[in-house]
C-alpha cells in the first residue's frame, strides 16, 4: 500500500472519529462550564489530572512499542498483554489508596469519593489497549473509528441524562467508566482473534518492547509534570475556584488542537512513518505534517487571540468575559505548543524516545521555575512568561530534536510554516486596516470575514499539499 493511500485512508477515518469525539468533548466542556460552579470545576480539574497522570503508567508505553516492534510473535504479545493488565490493576489500587491523601493535600473533600468510584477505569482500559495498538499497526483506522465513536456517543448521552438528574460531578465519573467499558468490551468481542492467551511471563523475551515503552513512559511522565504543574500549583496555592476558572479556559484553548486537530495527524503519522521511513525521508514526511497542521492551527489560535471576548461569550457565556486576557495569552501559548506537538511522533517513529526523554527533563526544569517565580504576579502574568519560554523552546527543539533526527533544515522548517503565517497576516491586516475603518463592522463580522478571506488565500496551498500526497 502506498504512502498516499495509507495517509488518505487513515486521515479519513481518524478524522471522522476524532472530530466526533472532539466535538462531543467540547460540548461537554461548555455544558459543564455553564452548569457547575467554579469550585466544582476545580475539583473536576484535579480528577482529570489524576486520571491523565495514572494513565501514563497504566499503559507504560507498551501500545506504541507494539506498533514500533512489528515482528513480535504471538507468545510475546501474550506476555505483553499480561504486563498491561497487571499495570492497570496496580494503578487502580494506587489511585484508590491515594484518594484520601490527595483530598487532604488539595483541601477538596469531594475528591475522595470521586477517585474511589473512578479507580477501576485503569484496569478496564488495560484489557483493550493491546487490540487497539495492533489495529493501529495494521492501519485499521476504520474499525477503530466505529468503536470509539460508539463509546463516545453512548457515554456522552449518559452524562447529559445524569446531569439532568442533578448528579453533577458524579455524572462525569460514570460517563468515563462507561466509555472505558464499551471501548474495551467492543475491542475484545469484535476482534476476538486479537485476544491473547494466558502464558507464563518471561521478561527476558519481551525486554526490548518494555525498554522502548519505559523510555516513552519516562518521557510522558516528565512531559506531564512540565505541562500540568501550572494547574497543580494553582490548585494548591489559590484553591479550587481559581483552578476551575484557569483549567476550563485552558481546556477551551487546548482541546481544539490536542483533541481534535493534532490527534488526527499524529495517530496516522506514527504508523505511517514507521512503515514508510525507508522509502521516504523523515524530513519530507515531517515537513508535510507541519504544513498541514500550520494551515489549521495558526489561523485558529490567532483568531482566538484577536477575539477573546467573542469566543468566551459564545462558549462559556458573558459571565466569563472578565477572563478574556487569560484566554488571549493561553491561545498564543497553545499556538506554539501545537506546532511543537508532532515532535513526539517523529521521535517514536525513528526510535529516538531516549532523546525525547532528556529533552522533556530539561523542559521540566525550566517551566516550573517560570511558573513558581511568576505565579505571585497573577495567572495572566504567569501565562505571558510561559509564552516567552515557549518561543525559546521552539528554537531549541529544532536544534536538539528535529535537525539531528530528521535532518530538516531551519529554512525548510520556516517554509513549512510560512504559507499559513503570510496568508493569515495579509488577510487580517487588509480587513482590520483597510475594511474596518470604512464599514465599522462588529466583532462577529470581522471574525467571519477573516475566516473566509483566509480560506480563499490558502486554497492554492491546500491543493498543492493534496497533490503532494497523491504523488507520494
Amino acid at each position: 500500500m502506498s504512502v498516499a493511500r495509507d495517509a488518505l485512508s487513515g486521515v479519513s477515518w481518524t478524522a471522522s472519529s476524532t472530530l466526533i469525539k472532539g466535538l462531543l468533548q467540547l460540548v461537554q466542556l461548555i455544558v459543564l462550564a455553564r452548569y457547575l460552579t467554579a469550585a466544582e470545576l476545580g475539583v473536576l480539574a484535579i480528577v482529570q489530572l489524576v486520571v491523565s497522570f495514572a494513565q501514563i503508567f497504566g499503559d507504560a508505553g507498551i501500545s506504541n512499542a507494539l506498533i514500533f516492534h512489528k515482528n513480535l510473535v504471538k507468545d510475546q504479545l501474550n506476555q505483553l498483554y499480561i504486563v498491561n493488565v497487571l499495570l492497570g490493576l496496580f494503578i487502580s489500587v494506587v489511585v484508590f489508596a491515594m484518594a484520601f491523601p490527595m483530598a487532604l493535600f488539595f483541601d477538596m473533600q469531594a475528591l475522595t469519593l470521586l477517585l474511589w468510584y473512578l479507580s477501576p477505569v485503569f484496569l478496564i482500559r488495560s484489557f483493550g489497549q493491546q487490540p487497539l495498538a495492533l489495529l493501529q499497526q495494521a492501519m485499521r483506522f476504520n474499525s477503530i473509528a466505529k468503536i470509539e465513536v460508539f463509546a463516545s456517543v453512548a457515554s456522552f448521552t449518559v452524562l447529559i441524562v445524569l446531569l439532568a438528574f442533578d448528579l453533577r460531578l458524579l455524572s462525569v465519573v460514570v460517563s468515563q467508566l462507561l466509555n472505558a467499558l464499551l471501548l474495551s468490551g467492543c475491542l475484545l468481542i469484535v476482534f476476538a482473534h486479537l485476544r491473547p492467551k494466558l502464558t507464563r511471563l518471561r521478561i527476558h523475551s519481551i525486554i526490548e518492547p518494555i525498554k522502548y515503552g519505559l523510555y516513552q513512559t519516562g518521557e510522558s511522565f516528565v512531559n506531564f509534570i512540565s505541562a500540568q504543574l501550572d494547574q497543580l500549583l494553582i490548585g494548591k496555592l489559590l484553591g479550587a475556584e481559581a483552578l476551575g476558572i484557569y483549567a476550563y479556559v485552558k481546556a477551551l484553548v487546548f482541546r481544539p488542537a490536542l483533541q481534535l486537530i493534532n490527534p488526527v495527524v499524529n495517530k496516522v503519522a506514527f504508523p505511517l512513518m514507521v512503515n514508510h521511513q525507508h522509502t521516504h525521508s523523515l524530513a519530507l514526511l515531517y515537513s508535510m505534517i507541519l504544513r498541514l497542521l500550520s494551515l489549521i492551527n495558526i489561523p485558529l489560535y490567532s483568531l482566538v487571540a484577536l477575539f477573546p471576548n467573542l469566543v468566551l461569550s459564545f462558549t462559556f457565556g458573558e459571565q466569563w468575559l472578565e477572563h478574556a486576557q487569560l484566554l488571549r495569552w493561553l491561545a498564543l501559548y497553545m499556538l506554539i505548543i501545537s506546532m511543537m506537538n508532532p515532535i513526539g511522533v517523529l521521535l517514536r517513529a525513528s526510535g529516538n524516545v531516549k532523546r525525547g526523554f532528556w529533552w522533556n527533563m530539561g523542559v521540566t526544569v525550566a517551566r516550573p521555575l517560570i511558573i513558581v517565580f511568576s505565579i505571585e504576579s497573577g495567572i495572566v502574568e504567569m501565562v505571558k512568561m510561559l509564552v516567552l519560554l515557549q518561543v525559546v523552546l521552539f528554537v531549541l527543539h529544532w536544534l536538539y530534536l528535529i535537525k539531528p533526527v530528521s535532518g530538516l533544515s531551519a529554512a525548510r522548517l520556516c517554509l513549512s510554516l510560512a504559507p499559513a503565517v503570510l496568508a493569515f497576516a495579509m488577510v487580517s491586516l487588509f480587513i482590520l486596516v483597510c475594511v474596518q475603518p470604512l464599514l465599522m463592522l462588529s466583532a462577529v463580522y470581522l471574525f467571519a470575514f477573516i475566516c473566509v478571506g483566509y480560506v480563499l488565500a490558502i486554497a492554492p496551498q491546500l491543493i498543492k499539499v493534496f497533490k503532494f500526497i497523491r504523488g507520494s
Side-chain angles (χ1 to χ4, degrees):
M1 203 178 199
S2 68
V3 174
R5 289 179 62 192
D6 278 354
L8 291 174
S9 174
V11 167
S12 174
W13 283 102
T14 304
S16 301
S17 169
T18 306
L19 181 63
I20 294 172
K21 291 190 302 176
L23 288 174
L24 288 175
Q25 289 168 348
L26 190 58
V27 173
Q28 176 179 318
L29 180 74
I30 294 171
V31 170
L32 292 174
R34 289 174 176 264
Y35 188 79
L36 301 178
T37 66
E40 287 175 318
L41 294 175
V43 174
L44 194 56
I46 294 296
V47 171
Q48 299 296 349
L49 285 177
V50 171
V51 171
S52 300
F53 177 77
Q55 189 58 29
I56 294 172
F57 297 94
D59 178 59
I62 293 176
S63 293
N64 283 324
L66 291 176
I67 299 174
F68 182 76
H69 293 274
K70 297 183 289 184
N71 299 318
L72 296 172
V73 298
K74 187 65 176 176
D75 184 61
Q76 290 174 305
L77 292 176
N78 291 339
Q79 293 181 63
L80 288 169
Y81 187 83
I82 293 173
V83 173
N84 257 141
V85 174
L86 289 176
L87 283 171
L89 176 61
F90 175 73
I91 296 300
S92 291
V93 172
V94 170
V95 170
F96 186 91
M98 292 299 295
F100 182 66
M102 281 189 283
L104 288 178
F105 178 79
F106 288 105
D107 193 23
M108 300 178 187
Q109 294 181 355
L111 265 182
T112 304
L113 280 177
L114 291 175
L115 291 176
W116 280 350
Y117 294 147
L118 193 59
S119 59
V121 77
F122 308 103
L123 176 61
I124 296 169
R125 285 177 179 174
S126 69
F127 289 107
Q129 282 169 343
Q130 186 176 113
L132 184 62
L134 293 175
L135 289 172
Q136 282 183 297
Q137 184 192 67
M139 307 291 281
R140 295 281 301 277
F141 297 107
N142 57 338
S143 303
I144 296 171
K146 292 171 184 176
I147 292 175
E148 288 183 338
V149 167
F150 168 68
S152 296
V153 171
S155 58
F156 176 77
T157 303
V158 169
L159 171 70
I160 298 301
V161 171
L162 294 179
L163 281 175
F165 283 95
D166 201 32
L167 291 182
R168 306 183 77 80
L169 294 176
L170 188 60
S171 63
V172 181
V173 172
V174 174
S175 174
Q176 291 196 16
L177 285 169
L178 179 64
N179 184 279
L181 277 169
L182 291 175
L183 190 59
S184 293
C186 288
L187 286 168
L188 292 173
I189 294 170
V190 177
F191 300 99
H193 64 284
L194 296 179
R195 266 187 265 165
K197 297 178 181 178
L198 293 177
T199 185
R200 189 164 61 90
L201 197 59
R202 298 182 299 278
I203 295 296
H204 64 88
S205 67
I206 53 173
I207 192 66
E208 286 304 315
I210 285 181
K211 283 170 60 179
Y212 180 98
L214 286 177
Y215 268 116
Q216 192 192 329
T217 300
E219 176 194 351
S220 299
F221 168 69
V222 173
N223 192 39
F224 175 86
I225 295 297
S226 174
Q228 303 300 339
L229 185 66
D230 52 351
Q231 293 191 51
L232 293 172
L233 286 176
I234 291 171
K236 177 60 179 174
L237 300 176
L238 304 182
E241 186 170 342
L243 173 61
I245 293 168
Y246 176 79
Y248 271 70
V249 174
K250 182 180 177 181
L252 179 64
V253 173
F254 277 41
R255 286 197 177 181
L258 297 187
Q259 293 188 352
L260 274 173
I261 301 164
N262 287 44
V264 173
V265 178
N266 291 347
K267 280 184 179 180
V268 176
F270 178 48
L272 196 67
M273 282 187 173
V274 170
N275 293 331
H276 297 287
Q277 60 181 297
H278 302 297
T279 57
H280 292 70
S281 73
L282 287 174
L284 184 66
L285 293 170
Y286 194 70
S287 64
M288 181 180 72
I289 292 170
L290 285 180
R291 178 164 295 194
L292 286 171
L293 288 174
S294 68
L295 289 172
I296 303 171
N297 287 339
I298 287 176
L300 171 65
Y301 287 108
S302 299
L303 281 168
V304 174
L306 283 173
F307 302 99
N309 288 291
L310 178 64
V311 173
L312 276 177
S313 178
F314 179 75
T315 53
F316 289 174
E318 294 186 359
Q319 68 272 23
W320 286 76
L321 290 181
E322 61 184 293
H323 309 297
Q325 285 300 313
L326 175 61
L327 177 63
R328 170 174 281 132
W329 285 98
L330 280 172
L332 295 175
Y333 182 47
M334 186 60 221
L335 171 58
I336 305 171
I337 290 176
S338 69
M339 300 316 302
M340 294 174 62
N341 174 261
I343 190 62
V345 173
L346 177 64
L347 295 175
R348 292 195 300 271
S350 60
N352 282 280
V353 288
K354 186 176 180 179
R355 182 180 288 267
F357 171 77
W358 290 113
W359 163 262
N360 283 316
M361 282 291 288
V363 173
T364 301
V365 173
R367 190 174 284 155
L369 289 175
I370 296 294
I371 294 171
V372 169
F373 285 112
S374 61
I375 195 171
E376 290 186 359
S377 301
I379 294 177
V380 175
E381 295 302 315
M382 179 195 77
V383 177
K384 289 180 182 178
M385 294 302 297
L386 288 174
V387 171
L388 292 176
L389 173 65
Q390 209 62 39
V391 172
V392 175
L393 291 177
F394 184 84
V395 176
L396 293 178
H397 104 292
W398 167 77
L399 192 63
Y400 181 71
L401 299 177
I402 295 177
K403 185 181 178 182
V405 173
S406 71
L408 185 68
S409 66
R412 198 168 176 182
L413 174 66
C414 293
L415 285 174
S416 299
L417 306 177
V421 173
L422 293 175
F424 185 82
M426 288 188 295
V427 169
S428 300
L429 286 173
F430 175 74
I431 292 175
L432 294 175
V433 175
C434 300
V435 177
Q436 174 63 359
L438 296 175
L439 301 180
M440 299 303 291
L441 299 169
S442 67
V444 175
Y445 286 107
L446 284 174
F447 188 97
F449 283 159
I450 292 175
C451 287
V452 173
Y454 175 78
V455 170
L456 294 175
I458 65 163
Q461 276 297 318
L462 290 174
I463 295 172
K464 183 178 178 180
V465 171
F466 180 74
K467 286 182 177 179
F468 169 80
I469 294 175
R470 286 185 63 109
S472 298

